[in-house]
């Protein structure tokens, strides 16, 4: 869920005011909402997403909240709130109690800065990192025996935060150390033992943005190709990390915020949702590694940008808030879409209803919304809309997407069992998708992005990368020699040598 502002060194860097954070299983969400009074004060608001229709419950206390208070919804319906109080942070649990709000104080943490991590798998624990000048403390804010408790001290300054498995054992953090940023993995069942997870070259800055434990799909941001690029790889694969050209949109930035779950050992079929931002506003992007196209869609009215989750069937649920409907969820129905591997659709120049964008055909939907019961906005027949990007007039049919560039770290992570998939080609995609109201889903465990800043988004208007580059030496993770068993999913962590290539 991703977007420059001057950092307040005392402010928590978790969810900001107005940003919606979704629980690990998709059942609840929470944000700071604003009163309609003249002061525009803030109060916590919990959304229930697991019922037949979404609804919101205010969790306001006796005084307004500060806009830098951080919220984290738990799967039991309670909401963790982290408030700054003088030189420390106070953690409490909020919950509905009759007509009012109940509050359970968990304790306080003394730290100059504290960042809530994304919801942990299972939805009952909460973690935070407190970065300082030369080290970072990892805290278990909720779920310990005696309130907040330290887990481990990690050398370097850590940011980000991505969960690598469904048990909540393996946590990936982006660590800045000696002027370089690399992703490390923390084993919470071994006392916070850490090891190197992602290093494409010794000189590059490599960050992990998203990970799907089911398929092993990884979304990374690295300057190994020469400048900052979005790329993808597979947990446990020896194949190169690839940097698709389609993830460098000329009309804005692309920031991933959710990846489709349930695609066991099929990373090429996983759909990834992007927040697209440019001079014309904010819209949606959807990409699959097998499709080699970034499909773009107008965002539904009132979408809370950078928030959403996938169902296992491939539909994208997008929380929305408007004056008429302050708590709603729109569905981008992509479950029937099947993308052919190694193929790109060709479009006739000037074909009606198929606007052209800088990356080829732009698939669009233009839902309009009519009044209805709260949480059940109904789409009516779509009306023509302007394309998201200024249309270009091709003189010939669109050619297949440009080949992906690859930087090969021979296996970012080596699993105990083979994992890269070799799926057969799938059927072609339909002409478009539809946004329809959500009716609830049983499995909404898509992974949300842990990168809230736009600096990790794909930069626009950058020169193309050369097709080849020199071979580069890589390191092996220090814990690989000891054959540390990270989990049944990832196996021992190891990174070995490789080179750059054009895919």
């Amino acid at each position: 869920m991703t977007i420059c502002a001057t950092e307040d060194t005392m402010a928590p860097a978790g969810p900001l005011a107005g940003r919606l954070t979704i629980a690990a299983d998709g059942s609840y969400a929470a944000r700071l909402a604003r009163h309609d009074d003249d002061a525009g004060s803030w109060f916590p608001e919990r959304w229930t997403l697991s019922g037949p229709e979404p609804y919101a419950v205010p969790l306001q206390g006796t005084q307004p909240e500060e806009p830098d208070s951080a919220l984290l919804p738990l799967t039991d319906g309670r909401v963790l709130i982290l408030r700054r109080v003088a030189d420390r942070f106070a953690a409490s649990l909020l919950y509905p109690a009759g007509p009012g709000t109940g509050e359970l104080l968990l304790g306080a943490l003394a730290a100059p800065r504290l960042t809530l991590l994304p919801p942990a798998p299972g939805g009952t624990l909460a973690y935070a990192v407190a970065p300082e000048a030369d080290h970072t403390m990892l805290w278990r804010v909720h779920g310990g025996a005696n309130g907040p408790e330290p887990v481990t001290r990690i050398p370097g300054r850590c940011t980000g935060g991505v969960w690598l498995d469904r048990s909540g054992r393996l946590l990936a953090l982006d660590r800045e150390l000696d002027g370089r940023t690399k992703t490390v993995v923390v084993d919470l069942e071994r006392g916070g033992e850490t090891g190197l997870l992602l290093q494409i070259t010794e000189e590059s800055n490599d960050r992990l943005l998203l990970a799907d434990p089911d398929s092993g799909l990884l979304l990374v941001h690295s300057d190994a190709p020469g400048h900052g690029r979005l790329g993808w790889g597979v947990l446990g694969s020896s194949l190169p990390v690839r940097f698709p050209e389609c993830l460098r949109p000329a009309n804005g930035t692309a920031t991933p915020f959710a990846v489709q779950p349930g695609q066991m050992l099929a990373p090429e079929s996983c759909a990834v949702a992007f927040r697209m931002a440019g001079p014309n506003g904010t819209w949606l992007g959807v990409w699959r590694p097998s499709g080699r196209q970034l499909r773009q869609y107008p965002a539904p009215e009132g979408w809370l940008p950078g928030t959403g989750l996938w169902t296992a069937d491939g539909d994208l649920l997008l929380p929305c808030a408007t004056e008429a409907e302050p708590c709603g969820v729109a569905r981008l129905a992509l479950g029937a879409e099947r993308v052919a591997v190694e193929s790109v659709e060709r479009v006739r120049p000037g074909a009606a209803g198929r606007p052209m964008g800088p990356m080829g055909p732009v698939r669009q939907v233009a839902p309009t919304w009519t009044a209805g019961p709260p949480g059940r906005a109904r789409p009516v027949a779509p009306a023509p809309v302007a394309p998201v990007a200024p249309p270009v007039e091709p003189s010939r049919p669109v050619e297949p997407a440009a080949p992906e560039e690859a930087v090969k770290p021979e296996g970012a992570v080596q699993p105990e069992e083979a994992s890269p998939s070799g799926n057969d080609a799938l059927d072609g995609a339909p002409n478009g998708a539809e946004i329809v109201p959500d009716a609830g889903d049983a499995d909404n465990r898509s992974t949300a992005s842990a990168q809230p800043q736009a600096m990790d988004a794909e930069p626009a208007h950058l020169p193309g990368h050369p097709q080849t580059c020199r071979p580069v030496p890589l390191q092996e993770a220090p814990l690989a020699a000891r054959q540390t068993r990270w989990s049944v999913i990832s196996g021992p962590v190891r990174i070995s040598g490789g080179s750059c290539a054009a895919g």
Side-chain angles (χ1 to χ4, degrees), residues 112-123:
R113 180 176 173 84
L114 197 63
T115 305
L116 273 179
L117 294 178

Side-chain angles (χ1 to χ4, degrees), residues 43-71:
F43 67 94
E45 183 179 74
R46 189 195 70 181
W47 289 29
T48 299
L49 304 176
S50 56
E53 61 183 43
Y55 64 92
V57 175
L59 296 177
Q60 53 196 18
T62 56
Q63 60 184 16
E65 301 292 344
E66 295 295 329
D68 60 1
S69 297
L71 299 178

Side-chain angles (χ1 to χ4, degrees), residues 265-294:
L265 302 180
E268 298 91 347
S269 301
C270 278
V272 182
F274 289 80
R275 174 190 175 181
M276 310 294 297
N280 296 329
T282 301
W283 63 100
L284 286 166
V286 176
W287 169 82
R288 286 181 173 87
S290 61
R292 297 192 177 185
Q293 274 188 317
L294 181 63

